[in-house]
């Protein structure tokens, strides 16, 4: 059976953070009350699972990972998460050792709920700590403190979670290298199996955009600065005020780069291997060549769900705004909450909620193969490219590979193509070179 990853979107949260443009809704967004909307949402989600499982392309798939994202999935009742997992197991073949991840925000769960989630089958927790400095957390508009994050981690361990990831943010307004390293060391002191370190992106429609957009460099450390978001809300409607920033400014390009390199060095010196541009795992790469390649170890804490995305595997998105890639066809669900809820009283709910359907041609598949695969430290395997497209990589990208190698952005070794550290800094520039159209 072909492997399949499943993403489940839970669009509810306690409060919108000052930087957040994710598809999520705080409780005051609903005139009819949070409980009513959440009940309707989970009823619709169960119905979507039933219908999707009956589609021909999905009948011969083995689910290897399930990921609950949001929003804040722990803001929902654990009984609803359990019901979704039960329905997925009833309708799909979920592998016994499937990775089942759930995003968790400190301050939006309890020890009892974490225990119930573990009992329901969730076996990987991703905790959005973001910072271990209360001043930074207040600036971000987070609802938790640094101590809340530590207590949440301890409660997760007590609940039986042996695979925990911590999320941290870098390049915050006014953040210094010392502050970032304090956060990194605080996270490492808890010994999570996985750690993600992402730079702040200033998104339209957020309070941070109103405050800091004028400072954004273009390109800002060669990363996307403005990302079009159908969920972006103009002005301040329903969004929190940013706390007093005391004249803070965004780090400059060189300062941000130095901060990240220092953080990467500290993490790798302490046994955390960077297997993807922004993701680290504690034990998966013991003894791996820091240049890029190496053999995968038996104990592997890399996020299986994300590996499916980066390696162009098949994934099914369930719930509001979720994206899917099945049989080389990409589609997404509507981002409009009430359109999603009301679709399940129509004759063809899946047709009503799905939009932006695109069958990917060979050029698009090649492009994605390269710029998704190059996010991984081990890069792209040339033999996999040949197997996927029945052509050698040099016949399609030979000149591009030579040009990037000459620029010091890329290396070829042992049948693989991967970014150098400089190439990682300038990843968007390097990856754009693989566009064929």
């Amino acid at each position: 059976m072909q492997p399949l990853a499943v993403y489940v979107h839970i669009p509810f949260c306690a409060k919108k953070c000052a930087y957040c443009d994710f598809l999520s809704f705080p409780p005051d967004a609903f005139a009819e009350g949070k409980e009513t909307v959440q009940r309707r949402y989970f009823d619709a989600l169960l119905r979507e699972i039933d219908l999707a499982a009956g589609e021909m392309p999905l009948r011969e798939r083995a689910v290897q990972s399930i990921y609950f994202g949001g929003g804040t999935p722990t803001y929902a009742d654990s009984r609803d998460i359990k019901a979704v997992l039960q329905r997925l197991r009833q309708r799909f073949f979920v592998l016994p050792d499937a990775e089942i991840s759930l995003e968790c925000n400190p301050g939006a769960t309890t020890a009892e709920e974490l225990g119930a989630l573990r009992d329901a089958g969730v076996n990987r927790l991703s905790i959005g700590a973001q910072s271990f400095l209360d001043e930074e957390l207040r600036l971000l508009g987070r609802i938790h403190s640094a101590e809340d994050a530590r207590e949440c981690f301890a409660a997760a361990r007590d609940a039986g979670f042996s695979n925990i990831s911590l999320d941290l943010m870098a390049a915050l307004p006014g953040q210094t290298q010392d502050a970032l390293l304090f956060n990194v060391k605080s996270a490492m002191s808890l010994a999570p199996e996985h750690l993600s370190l992402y730079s702040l992106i200033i998104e339209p429609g957020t309070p941070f955009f109103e405050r800091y957009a004028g400072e954004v460099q273009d390109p800002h450390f060669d990363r996307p600065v403005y990302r079009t978001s159908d969920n972006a809300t103009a002005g301040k409607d329903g969004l929190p005020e940013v706390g007093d920033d005391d004249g803070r400014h965004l780090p400059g390009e060189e300062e941000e780069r130095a901060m990240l390199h220092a953080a990467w060095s500290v993490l790798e010196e302490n046994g955390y291997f960077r297997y993807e541009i922004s993701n680290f795992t504690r034990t998966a790469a013991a003894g791996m060549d820091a240049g890029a390649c190496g053999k995968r170890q038996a104990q592997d804490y890399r996020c299986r769900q994300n590996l499916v995305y980066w390696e162009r595997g098949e994934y099914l998105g369930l719930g509001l705004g979720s994206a899917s890639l099945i049989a080389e066809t990409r589609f997404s669900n509507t981002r409009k909450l009430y359109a999603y809820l009301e679709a399940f009283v129509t004759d063809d709910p899946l047709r009503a909620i799905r939009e932006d359907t695109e069958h990917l041609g060979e050029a698009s598949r090649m492009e994605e193969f390269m710029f998704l695969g190059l996010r991984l430290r081990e890069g792209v395997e040339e033999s996999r490219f040949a197997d996927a497209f029945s052509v050698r990589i040099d016949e399609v990208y030979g000149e591009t590979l030579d040009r990037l190698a000459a620029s010091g952005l890329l290396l070829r070794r042992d049948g693989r193509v991967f970014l150098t550290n400089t190439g990682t800094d300038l990843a968007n520039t390097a990856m754009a070179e693989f566009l064929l159209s």
Side-chain angles (χ1 to χ4, degrees):
M1 300 179 75
Q2 289 183 260
L4 177 72
V6 174
Y7 173 82
V8 183
H9 192 70
I10 310 298
F12 307 109
C13 63
K15 175 189 174 186
K16 291 285 276 191
C17 297
Y19 58 88
C20 177
D21 81 326
F22 294 131
L23 185 53
S24 60
F25 307 98
D28 59 2
F30 310 113
E32 60 190 292
K34 179 193 76 170
E35 291 78 12
T36 300
V37 174
Q38 287 194 10
R39 178 73 276 127
R40 291 181 63 192
Y41 185 80
F42 278 98
D43 287 345
L45 192 54
L46 295 177
R47 181 67 177 139
E48 185 184 0
I49 293 171
D50 289 341
L51 294 171
E55 293 186 298
M56 182 62 69
L58 294 172
R59 292 179 185 172
E60 300 299 324
R61 303 293 193 271
V63 176
Q64 65 176 28
S65 63
I66 300 169
Y67 192 101
F68 289 87
T72 305
T74 49
Y75 190 61
D77 194 307
S78 61
R79 291 172 293 187
D80 288 320
I81 301 297
K82 180 179 180 179
V84 170
L85 281 173
Q86 288 178 332
R87 190 64 61 88
L88 284 169
R89 290 191 178 102
Q90 290 168 358
R91 298 291 187 255
F92 291 89
F93 176 63
V94 179
L95 294 172
D97 65 344
E99 174 190 270
I100 302 177
S101 302
L102 184 134
E103 293 178 351
C104 168
N105 280 342
T109 191
T110 64
E112 292 75 19
E113 284 286 280
L114 289 172
L117 290 167
R118 185 67 191 91
D119 291 342
V122 177
N123 54 31
R124 182 180 183 274
L125 209 60
S126 180
I127 299 177
Q130 313 309 352
S131 172
F132 285 90
L133 290 168
D134 287 341
E135 183 179 5
E136 289 184 345
L137 292 169
R138 286 192 294 270
L139 178 70
L140 291 169
R142 303 291 289 177
I143 65 172
H144 71 272
S145 67
E147 186 57 29
D148 290 335
R150 294 185 183 95
E151 291 177 357
C152 180
F153 190 95
R157 286 289 194 227
D158 290 343
F161 284 96
S162 58
N163 188 358
I164 302 177
S165 179
L166 285 176
D167 285 357
L168 294 178
M169 296 179 70
L172 305 180
Q175 189 177 55
T176 64
Q177 181 171 303
D178 286 345
L180 177 59
L181 294 183
F182 174 85
N183 290 333
V184 168
K185 292 173 183 177
S186 297
M188 289 191 305
S189 72
L190 300 175
E193 285 68 34
H194 187 279
L195 196 147
S196 297
L197 177 62
Y198 296 102
S199 288
L200 172 69
I201 299 176
I202 304 301
E203 303 285 8
T206 66
F208 265 23
F209 184 83
E210 294 184 11
R211 176 161 291 186
Y212 298 113
E215 300 181 24
V216 173
Q217 301 177 41
D218 189 9
H220 182 60
F221 189 23
D222 198 47
R223 292 180 292 103
V225 177
Y226 305 124
R227 186 173 70 231
T228 302
S229 170
D230 296 335
N231 192 43
T233 304
K236 299 182 179 179
D237 295 343
L239 297 174
E241 294 291 331
V242 181
D244 182 9
D245 65 1
D246 297 321
R248 291 169 178 256
H249 297 282
L250 293 171
E253 177 181 337
E254 292 301 322
E255 184 181 2
E256 179 181 352
R257 185 175 301 173
M259 290 167 63
L260 285 173
H261 283 208
W264 293 348
S265 294
V266 168
L267 283 160
E268 295 210 348
E269 288 167 4
N270 287 273
Y272 284 88
F273 178 79
R274 182 166 58 85
Y275 71 96
E276 189 268 346
I277 289 177
S278 302
N279 287 276
F280 299 75
T281 182
R282 191 177 71 193
T283 59
M288 287 182 77
D289 176 3
C293 306
K295 298 202 180 289
R296 299 178 180 179
Q297 306 299 303
Q299 189 64 47
D300 193 344
Y301 289 112
R302 295 174 306 163
C303 179
R304 291 189 216 168
Q305 182 85 7
N306 284 341
L307 285 173
V308 169
Y309 303 148
W310 297 321
E311 294 177 347
R312 289 204 77 250
E314 292 192 322
Y315 52 91
L316 172 67
L318 299 166
L320 192 68
S322 60
S324 302
L325 177 62
I326 305 294
E328 299 299 353
T329 298
R330 189 183 307 285
F331 56 89
S332 60
N333 285 353
T334 178
R335 297 174 61 87
K336 298 177 181 178
L337 178 62
Y338 286 96
Y340 177 82
L341 298 178
E342 292 163 5
F344 290 91
V345 297
T346 66
D347 292 336
D348 192 348
L350 294 184
R351 183 175 181 181
I353 64 172
R354 290 178 179 173
E355 53 193 29
D356 300 326
T357 299
E358 176 190 8
H359 183 74
L360 300 177
E362 184 175 67
S364 294
R365 300 199 303 272
M366 286 180 173
E367 292 168 351
E368 289 189 359
F369 188 97
M370 296 305 296
F371 58 69
L372 290 174
L374 285 173
R375 292 192 62 88
L376 294 169
R377 186 78 168 269
E378 62 185 25
V380 168
E381 191 173 355
E382 295 184 27
S383 62
R384 279 193 65 228
F385 186 96
D387 290 342
F389 303 110
S390 301
V391 63
R392 292 175 55 248
I393 195 170
D394 286 287
E395 296 180 51
V396 181
Y397 288 119
E399 292 183 6
T400 298
L401 296 175
D402 290 343
R403 184 168 60 252
L404 292 175
S407 301
L409 302 183
L410 179 146
L411 285 175
R412 299 180 75 172
R413 183 190 301 166
D414 300 328
R416 290 183 179 275
V417 177
F418 53 89
L419 297 178
T420 62
N421 285 338
T422 301
T424 300
D425 289 341
L426 303 174
N428 283 356
T429 295
M431 293 173 185
E433 294 294 307
F434 292 95
L435 293 174
L436 295 172
S437 56

